PDB file of all heavy atoms in Angstrom:
ATOM      1  N   GLY A  31      -4.389  -4.513  13.292  1.00  0.00           N
ATOM      2  CA  GLY A  31      -3.675  -5.591  13.970  1.00  0.00           C
ATOM      3  C   GLY A  31      -2.180  -5.533  13.714  1.00  0.00           C
ATOM      4  O   GLY A  31      -1.378  -5.872  14.601  1.00  0.00           O
ATOM      5  N   PHE A  34      -0.617  -3.436  16.260  1.00  0.00           N
ATOM      6  CA  PHE A  34      -0.464  -4.184  17.505  1.00  0.00           C
ATOM      7  C   PHE A  34       0.777  -5.066  17.440  1.00  0.00           C
ATOM      8  O   PHE A  34       1.549  -5.158  18.407  1.00  0.00           O
ATOM      9  CB  PHE A  34      -1.713  -5.034  17.758  1.00  0.00           C
ATOM     10  CG  PHE A  34      -2.848  -4.293  18.392  1.00  0.00           C
ATOM     11  CD1 PHE A  34      -3.582  -3.368  17.673  1.00  0.00           C
ATOM     12  CD2 PHE A  34      -3.185  -4.516  19.720  1.00  0.00           C
ATOM     13  CE1 PHE A  34      -4.629  -2.674  18.256  1.00  0.00           C
ATOM     14  CE2 PHE A  34      -4.225  -3.833  20.316  1.00  0.00           C
ATOM     15  CZ  PHE A  34      -4.957  -2.896  19.584  1.00  0.00           C
ATOM     16  N   LEU A  35       0.972  -5.732  16.292  1.00  0.00           N
ATOM     17  CA  LEU A  35       2.138  -6.600  16.132  1.00  0.00           C
ATOM     18  C   LEU A  35       3.431  -5.790  16.193  1.00  0.00           C
ATOM     19  O   LEU A  35       4.403  -6.191  16.850  1.00  0.00           O
ATOM     20  CB  LEU A  35       2.037  -7.349  14.801  1.00  0.00           C
ATOM     21  CG  LEU A  35       3.225  -8.217  14.405  1.00  0.00           C
ATOM     22  CD1 LEU A  35       3.422  -9.353  15.397  1.00  0.00           C
ATOM     23  CD2 LEU A  35       3.031  -8.769  12.993  1.00  0.00           C
ATOM     24  N   PHE A  36       3.458  -4.653  15.519  1.00  0.00           N
ATOM     25  CA  PHE A  36       4.670  -3.834  15.453  1.00  0.00           C
ATOM     26  C   PHE A  36       5.066  -3.328  16.845  1.00  0.00           C
ATOM     27  O   PHE A  36       6.211  -3.489  17.284  1.00  0.00           O
ATOM     28  CB  PHE A  36       4.435  -2.663  14.503  1.00  0.00           C
ATOM     29  CG  PHE A  36       5.584  -1.699  14.410  1.00  0.00           C
ATOM     30  CD1 PHE A  36       6.771  -2.068  13.803  1.00  0.00           C
ATOM     31  CD2 PHE A  36       5.473  -0.417  14.932  1.00  0.00           C
ATOM     32  CE1 PHE A  36       7.833  -1.182  13.721  1.00  0.00           C
ATOM     33  CE2 PHE A  36       6.525   0.468  14.853  1.00  0.00           C
ATOM     34  CZ  PHE A  36       7.708   0.089  14.250  1.00  0.00           C
ATOM     35  N   ILE A  37       4.111  -2.738  17.554  1.00  0.00           N
ATOM     36  CA  ILE A  37       4.426  -2.179  18.870  1.00  0.00           C
ATOM     37  C   ILE A  37       4.714  -3.295  19.867  1.00  0.00           C
ATOM     38  O   ILE A  37       5.611  -3.183  20.715  1.00  0.00           O
ATOM     39  CB  ILE A  37       3.273  -1.275  19.336  1.00  0.00           C
ATOM     40  CG1 ILE A  37       3.195  -0.041  18.422  1.00  0.00           C
ATOM     41  CG2 ILE A  37       3.454  -0.858  20.792  1.00  0.00           C
ATOM     42  CD1 ILE A  37       2.076   0.907  18.742  1.00  0.00           C
ATOM     43  N   ALA A  38       3.970  -4.407  19.765  1.00  0.00           N
ATOM     44  CA  ALA A  38       4.231  -5.528  20.670  1.00  0.00           C
ATOM     45  C   ALA A  38       5.616  -6.119  20.414  1.00  0.00           C
ATOM     46  O   ALA A  38       6.327  -6.489  21.363  1.00  0.00           O
ATOM     47  CB  ALA A  38       3.157  -6.598  20.490  1.00  0.00           C
ATOM     48  N   GLY A  39       6.014  -6.218  19.129  1.00  0.00           N
ATOM     49  CA  GLY A  39       7.333  -6.745  18.817  1.00  0.00           C
ATOM     50  C   GLY A  39       8.439  -5.862  19.360  1.00  0.00           C
ATOM     51  O   GLY A  39       9.426  -6.359  19.935  1.00  0.00           O
ATOM     52  N   LEU A  40       8.289  -4.531  19.196  1.00  0.00           N
ATOM     53  CA  LEU A  40       9.300  -3.622  19.745  1.00  0.00           C
ATOM     54  C   LEU A  40       9.343  -3.703  21.267  1.00  0.00           C
ATOM     55  O   LEU A  40      10.416  -3.667  21.882  1.00  0.00           O
ATOM     56  CB  LEU A  40       8.989  -2.188  19.308  1.00  0.00           C
ATOM     57  CG  LEU A  40       9.121  -1.880  17.813  1.00  0.00           C
ATOM     58  CD1 LEU A  40       8.816  -0.414  17.556  1.00  0.00           C
ATOM     59  CD2 LEU A  40      10.509  -2.223  17.299  1.00  0.00           C
ATOM     60  N   LEU A  42       8.570  -6.284  23.115  1.00  0.00           N
ATOM     61  CA  LEU A  42       9.184  -7.548  23.512  1.00  0.00           C
ATOM     62  C   LEU A  42      10.702  -7.498  23.341  1.00  0.00           C
ATOM     63  O   LEU A  42      11.452  -7.972  24.202  1.00  0.00           O
ATOM     64  CB  LEU A  42       8.590  -8.688  22.685  1.00  0.00           C
ATOM     65  CG  LEU A  42       9.012 -10.104  23.077  1.00  0.00           C
ATOM     66  CD1 LEU A  42       8.605 -10.413  24.510  1.00  0.00           C
ATOM     67  CD2 LEU A  42       8.401 -11.124  22.114  1.00  0.00           C
ATOM     68  N   ALA A  92      -2.247 -15.486  10.449  1.00  0.00           N
ATOM     69  CA  ALA A  92      -2.841 -15.623  11.787  1.00  0.00           C
ATOM     70  C   ALA A  92      -2.109 -16.679  12.610  1.00  0.00           C
ATOM     71  O   ALA A  92      -1.909 -16.516  13.823  1.00  0.00           O
ATOM     72  CB  ALA A  92      -4.325 -15.970  11.663  1.00  0.00           C
ATOM     73  N   VAL A  95       1.748 -15.473  13.458  1.00  0.00           N
ATOM     74  CA  VAL A  95       1.832 -14.495  14.538  1.00  0.00           C
ATOM     75  C   VAL A  95       1.831 -15.180  15.896  1.00  0.00           C
ATOM     76  O   VAL A  95       2.547 -14.765  16.821  1.00  0.00           O
ATOM     77  CB  VAL A  95       0.663 -13.489  14.437  1.00  0.00           C
ATOM     78  CG1 VAL A  95       0.549 -12.653  15.704  1.00  0.00           C
ATOM     79  CG2 VAL A  95       0.864 -12.574  13.242  1.00  0.00           C
ATOM     80  N   LEU A  96       1.059 -16.244  16.025  1.00  0.00           N
ATOM     81  CA  LEU A  96       0.988 -16.944  17.304  1.00  0.00           C
ATOM     82  C   LEU A  96       2.327 -17.573  17.687  1.00  0.00           C
ATOM     83  O   LEU A  96       2.566 -17.877  18.861  1.00  0.00           O
ATOM     84  CB  LEU A  96      -0.096 -18.019  17.260  1.00  0.00           C
ATOM     85  CG  LEU A  96      -1.535 -17.502  17.103  1.00  0.00           C
ATOM     86  CD1 LEU A  96      -2.506 -18.662  17.031  1.00  0.00           C
ATOM     87  CD2 LEU A  96      -1.899 -16.561  18.248  1.00  0.00           C
ATOM     88  N   GLY A  97       3.209 -17.767  16.690  1.00  0.00           N
ATOM     89  CA  GLY A  97       4.541 -18.285  17.007  1.00  0.00           C
ATOM     90  C   GLY A  97       5.326 -17.363  17.917  1.00  0.00           C
ATOM     91  O   GLY A  97       6.236 -17.803  18.632  1.00  0.00           O
ATOM     92  N   ALA A  98       4.982 -16.049  17.902  1.00  0.00           N
ATOM     93  CA  ALA A  98       5.685 -15.104  18.774  1.00  0.00           C
ATOM     94  C   ALA A  98       5.403 -15.374  20.246  1.00  0.00           C
ATOM     95  O   ALA A  98       6.154 -14.922  21.123  1.00  0.00           O
ATOM     96  CB  ALA A  98       5.292 -13.674  18.416  1.00  0.00           C
ATOM     97  N   LEU A  99       4.340 -16.107  20.555  1.00  0.00           N
ATOM     98  CA  LEU A  99       4.036 -16.429  21.941  1.00  0.00           C
ATOM     99  C   LEU A  99       5.082 -17.349  22.555  1.00  0.00           C
ATOM    100  O   LEU A  99       5.183 -17.447  23.787  1.00  0.00           O
ATOM    101  CB  LEU A  99       2.651 -17.086  22.034  1.00  0.00           C
ATOM    102  CG  LEU A  99       1.459 -16.247  21.568  1.00  0.00           C
ATOM    103  CD1 LEU A  99       0.177 -17.068  21.646  1.00  0.00           C
ATOM    104  CD2 LEU A  99       1.340 -14.973  22.391  1.00  0.00           C
ATOM    105  N   THR A 100       5.856 -18.025  21.706  1.00  0.00           N
ATOM    106  CA  THR A 100       6.886 -18.938  22.216  1.00  0.00           C
ATOM    107  C   THR A 100       8.169 -18.215  22.598  1.00  0.00           C
ATOM    108  O   THR A 100       9.072 -18.835  23.164  1.00  0.00           O
ATOM    109  CB  THR A 100       7.213 -20.012  21.157  1.00  0.00           C
ATOM    110  OG1 THR A 100       7.816 -19.398  20.008  1.00  0.00           O
ATOM    111  CG2 THR A 100       5.945 -20.753  20.728  1.00  0.00           C
ATOM    112  N   VAL A 101       8.267 -16.931  22.276  1.00  0.00           N
ATOM    113  CA  VAL A 101       9.472 -16.152  22.608  1.00  0.00           C
ATOM    114  C   VAL A 101       9.303 -15.632  24.033  1.00  0.00           C
ATOM    115  O   VAL A 101       8.688 -14.585  24.270  1.00  0.00           O
ATOM    116  CB  VAL A 101       9.682 -14.998  21.616  1.00  0.00           C
ATOM    117  CG1 VAL A 101      10.969 -14.243  21.956  1.00  0.00           C
ATOM    118  CG2 VAL A 101       9.728 -15.530  20.190  1.00  0.00           C
ATOM    119  N   LEU A 110      11.965 -14.766  16.477  1.00  0.00           N
ATOM    120  CA  LEU A 110      11.250 -13.625  15.896  1.00  0.00           C
ATOM    121  C   LEU A 110      11.666 -13.366  14.452  1.00  0.00           C
ATOM    122  O   LEU A 110      10.848 -12.927  13.634  1.00  0.00           O
ATOM    123  CB  LEU A 110      11.499 -12.368  16.730  1.00  0.00           C
ATOM    124  CG  LEU A 110      10.757 -12.229  18.054  1.00  0.00           C
ATOM    125  CD1 LEU A 110      11.152 -10.933  18.744  1.00  0.00           C
ATOM    126  CD2 LEU A 110       9.250 -12.274  17.822  1.00  0.00           C
ATOM    127  N   PHE A 166      -2.888  -0.557  24.679  1.00  0.00           N
ATOM    128  CA  PHE A 166      -3.183  -1.974  24.910  1.00  0.00           C
ATOM    129  C   PHE A 166      -1.942  -2.718  25.405  1.00  0.00           C
ATOM    130  O   PHE A 166      -2.025  -3.518  26.356  1.00  0.00           O
ATOM    131  CB  PHE A 166      -3.707  -2.607  23.625  1.00  0.00           C
ATOM    132  CG  PHE A 166      -4.203  -4.013  23.790  1.00  0.00           C
ATOM    133  CD1 PHE A 166      -5.526  -4.268  24.089  1.00  0.00           C
ATOM    134  CD2 PHE A 166      -3.341  -5.094  23.654  1.00  0.00           C
ATOM    135  CE1 PHE A 166      -5.997  -5.569  24.248  1.00  0.00           C
ATOM    136  CE2 PHE A 166      -3.785  -6.392  23.806  1.00  0.00           C
ATOM    137  CZ  PHE A 166      -5.121  -6.631  24.109  1.00  0.00           C
ATOM    138  N   VAL A 167      -0.813  -2.479  24.758  1.00  0.00           N
ATOM    139  CA  VAL A 167       0.418  -3.166  25.153  1.00  0.00           C
ATOM    140  C   VAL A 167       0.829  -2.748  26.563  1.00  0.00           C
ATOM    141  O   VAL A 167       1.283  -3.574  27.368  1.00  0.00           O
ATOM    142  CB  VAL A 167       1.541  -2.898  24.133  1.00  0.00           C
ATOM    143  CG1 VAL A 167       2.880  -3.436  24.637  1.00  0.00           C
ATOM    144  CG2 VAL A 167       1.200  -3.536  22.794  1.00  0.00           C
ATOM    145  N   GLY A 171       0.208  -6.141  27.891  1.00  0.00           N
ATOM    146  CA  GLY A 171       1.466  -6.773  27.525  1.00  0.00           C
ATOM    147  C   GLY A 171       1.525  -7.190  26.067  1.00  0.00           C
ATOM    148  O   GLY A 171       0.501  -7.240  25.367  1.00  0.00           O
ATOM    149  N   PRO A 172       2.715  -7.527  25.564  1.00  0.00           N
ATOM    150  CA  PRO A 172       2.883  -7.831  24.133  1.00  0.00           C
ATOM    151  C   PRO A 172       2.215  -9.134  23.690  1.00  0.00           C
ATOM    152  O   PRO A 172       1.754  -9.235  22.559  1.00  0.00           O
ATOM    153  CB  PRO A 172       4.402  -7.901  23.950  1.00  0.00           C
ATOM    154  CG  PRO A 172       4.938  -8.190  25.319  1.00  0.00           C
ATOM    155  CD  PRO A 172       4.008  -7.520  26.276  1.00  0.00           C
ATOM    156  N   TYR A 173       2.150 -10.117  24.584  1.00  0.00           N
ATOM    157  CA  TYR A 173       1.602 -11.407  24.159  1.00  0.00           C
ATOM    158  C   TYR A 173       0.113 -11.304  23.862  1.00  0.00           C
ATOM    159  O   TYR A 173      -0.387 -11.937  22.923  1.00  0.00           O
ATOM    160  CB  TYR A 173       1.880 -12.459  25.225  1.00  0.00           C
ATOM    161  CG  TYR A 173       3.354 -12.686  25.462  1.00  0.00           C
ATOM    162  CD1 TYR A 173       3.968 -12.234  26.622  1.00  0.00           C
ATOM    163  CD2 TYR A 173       4.144 -13.314  24.501  1.00  0.00           C
ATOM    164  CE1 TYR A 173       5.325 -12.415  26.836  1.00  0.00           C
ATOM    165  CE2 TYR A 173       5.504 -13.502  24.705  1.00  0.00           C
ATOM    166  CZ  TYR A 173       6.087 -13.047  25.874  1.00  0.00           C
ATOM    167  OH  TYR A 173       7.446 -13.225  26.066  1.00  0.00           O
ATOM    168  N   ALA A 174      -0.607 -10.515  24.632  1.00  0.00           N
ATOM    169  CA  ALA A 174      -2.025 -10.296  24.341  1.00  0.00           C
ATOM    170  C   ALA A 174      -2.195  -9.571  23.011  1.00  0.00           C
ATOM    171  O   ALA A 174      -3.142  -9.848  22.254  1.00  0.00           O
ATOM    172  CB  ALA A 174      -2.678  -9.506  25.473  1.00  0.00           C
ATOM    173  N   ALA A 175      -1.268  -8.671  22.691  1.00  0.00           N
ATOM    174  CA  ALA A 175      -1.337  -7.950  21.410  1.00  0.00           C
ATOM    175  C   ALA A 175      -1.095  -8.896  20.237  1.00  0.00           C
ATOM    176  O   ALA A 175      -1.703  -8.734  19.169  1.00  0.00           O
ATOM    177  CB  ALA A 175      -0.321  -6.808  21.396  1.00  0.00           C
ATOM    178  N   PHE A 176      -0.207  -9.879  20.399  1.00  0.00           N
ATOM    179  CA  PHE A 176      -0.004 -10.866  19.340  1.00  0.00           C
ATOM    180  C   PHE A 176      -1.299 -11.633  19.059  1.00  0.00           C
ATOM    181  O   PHE A 176      -1.630 -11.906  17.895  1.00  0.00           O
ATOM    182  CB  PHE A 176       1.098 -11.858  19.744  1.00  0.00           C
ATOM    183  CG  PHE A 176       2.465 -11.255  19.823  1.00  0.00           C
ATOM    184  CD1 PHE A 176       3.349 -11.632  20.830  1.00  0.00           C
ATOM    185  CD2 PHE A 176       2.877 -10.312  18.900  1.00  0.00           C
ATOM    186  CE1 PHE A 176       4.617 -11.076  20.909  1.00  0.00           C
ATOM    187  CE2 PHE A 176       4.150  -9.749  18.970  1.00  0.00           C
ATOM    188  CZ  PHE A 176       5.009 -10.123  19.982  1.00  0.00           C
ATOM    189  N   ILE A 177      -2.031 -11.967  20.105  1.00  0.00           N
ATOM    190  CA  ILE A 177      -3.294 -12.692  19.927  1.00  0.00           C
ATOM    191  C   ILE A 177      -4.313 -11.820  19.202  1.00  0.00           C
ATOM    192  O   ILE A 177      -5.044 -12.286  18.319  1.00  0.00           O
ATOM    193  CB  ILE A 177      -3.829 -13.155  21.288  1.00  0.00           C
ATOM    194  CG1 ILE A 177      -2.875 -14.184  21.905  1.00  0.00           C
ATOM    195  CG2 ILE A 177      -5.226 -13.749  21.152  1.00  0.00           C
ATOM    196  CD1 ILE A 177      -3.234 -14.596  23.316  1.00  0.00           C
ATOM    197  N   VAL A 178      -4.361 -10.527  19.541  1.00  0.00           N
ATOM    198  CA  VAL A 178      -5.277  -9.608  18.857  1.00  0.00           C
ATOM    199  C   VAL A 178      -4.958  -9.541  17.372  1.00  0.00           C
ATOM    200  O   VAL A 178      -5.860  -9.585  16.516  1.00  0.00           O
ATOM    201  CB  VAL A 178      -5.212  -8.212  19.496  1.00  0.00           C
ATOM    202  CG1 VAL A 178      -5.960  -7.189  18.644  1.00  0.00           C
ATOM    203  CG2 VAL A 178      -5.798  -8.232  20.893  1.00  0.00           C
ATOM    204  N   ASP A 179      -3.668  -9.449  17.033  1.00  0.00           N
ATOM    205  CA  ASP A 179      -3.287  -9.387  15.617  1.00  0.00           C
ATOM    206  C   ASP A 179      -3.697 -10.662  14.890  1.00  0.00           C
ATOM    207  O   ASP A 179      -4.194 -10.616  13.761  1.00  0.00           O
ATOM    208  CB  ASP A 179      -1.783  -9.172  15.504  1.00  0.00           C
ATOM    209  CG  ASP A 179      -1.339  -8.978  14.064  1.00  0.00           C
ATOM    210  OD1 ASP A 179      -2.058  -8.295  13.305  1.00  0.00           O
ATOM    211  OD2 ASP A 179      -0.292  -9.516  13.677  1.00  0.00           O
ATOM    212  N   SER A 180      -3.515 -11.813  15.521  1.00  0.00           N
ATOM    213  CA  SER A 180      -3.926 -13.076  14.907  1.00  0.00           C
ATOM    214  C   SER A 180      -5.424 -13.088  14.638  1.00  0.00           C
ATOM    215  O   SER A 180      -5.879 -13.523  13.574  1.00  0.00           O
ATOM    216  CB  SER A 180      -3.531 -14.240  15.818  1.00  0.00           C
ATOM    217  OG  SER A 180      -3.961 -15.477  15.280  1.00  0.00           O
ATOM    218  N   LEU A 181      -6.205 -12.594  15.589  1.00  0.00           N
ATOM    219  CA  LEU A 181      -7.656 -12.572  15.417  1.00  0.00           C
ATOM    220  C   LEU A 181      -8.073 -11.647  14.274  1.00  0.00           C
ATOM    221  O   LEU A 181      -9.026 -11.951  13.542  1.00  0.00           O
ATOM    222  CB  LEU A 181      -8.329 -12.136  16.723  1.00  0.00           C
ATOM    223  CG  LEU A 181      -8.236 -13.126  17.884  1.00  0.00           C
ATOM    224  CD1 LEU A 181      -8.838 -12.524  19.144  1.00  0.00           C
ATOM    225  CD2 LEU A 181      -8.931 -14.444  17.530  1.00  0.00           C
ATOM    226  N   THR A 182      -7.373 -10.537  14.096  1.00  0.00           N
ATOM    227  CA  THR A 182      -7.736  -9.632  12.990  1.00  0.00           C
ATOM    228  C   THR A 182      -7.498 -10.286  11.638  1.00  0.00           C
ATOM    229  O   THR A 182      -8.255 -10.059  10.685  1.00  0.00           O
ATOM    230  CB  THR A 182      -6.953  -8.309  13.077  1.00  0.00           C
ATOM    231  OG1 THR A 182      -5.549  -8.561  12.977  1.00  0.00           O
ATOM    232  CG2 THR A 182      -7.263  -7.576  14.373  1.00  0.00           C
ATOM    233  N   PHE A 183      -6.458 -11.095  11.529  1.00  0.00           N
ATOM    234  CA  PHE A 183      -6.232 -11.824  10.275  1.00  0.00           C
ATOM    235  C   PHE A 183      -7.344 -12.833  10.018  1.00  0.00           C
ATOM    236  O   PHE A 183      -7.784 -13.015   8.875  1.00  0.00           O
ATOM    237  CB  PHE A 183      -4.876 -12.533  10.302  1.00  0.00           C
ATOM    238  CG  PHE A 183      -3.714 -11.646   9.983  1.00  0.00           C
ATOM    239  CD1 PHE A 183      -2.688 -11.470  10.885  1.00  0.00           C
ATOM    240  CD2 PHE A 183      -3.643 -10.979   8.772  1.00  0.00           C
ATOM    241  CE1 PHE A 183      -1.612 -10.644  10.592  1.00  0.00           C
ATOM    242  CE2 PHE A 183      -2.567 -10.152   8.462  1.00  0.00           C
ATOM    243  CZ  PHE A 183      -1.551  -9.983   9.385  1.00  0.00           C
TER     244      PHE A 183
END
Side-chain angles (χ1 to χ4, degrees):
F34 278 72
L35 175 64
F36 177 69
I37 293 178
L40 293 182
L42 186 61
V95 168
L96 295 178
L99 299 177
T100 65
V101 182
L110 284 179
F166 187 91
V167 172
Y173 298 108
F176 292 141
I177 295 174
V178 170
D179 185 40
S180 178
L181 291 175
T182 61
F183 279 121

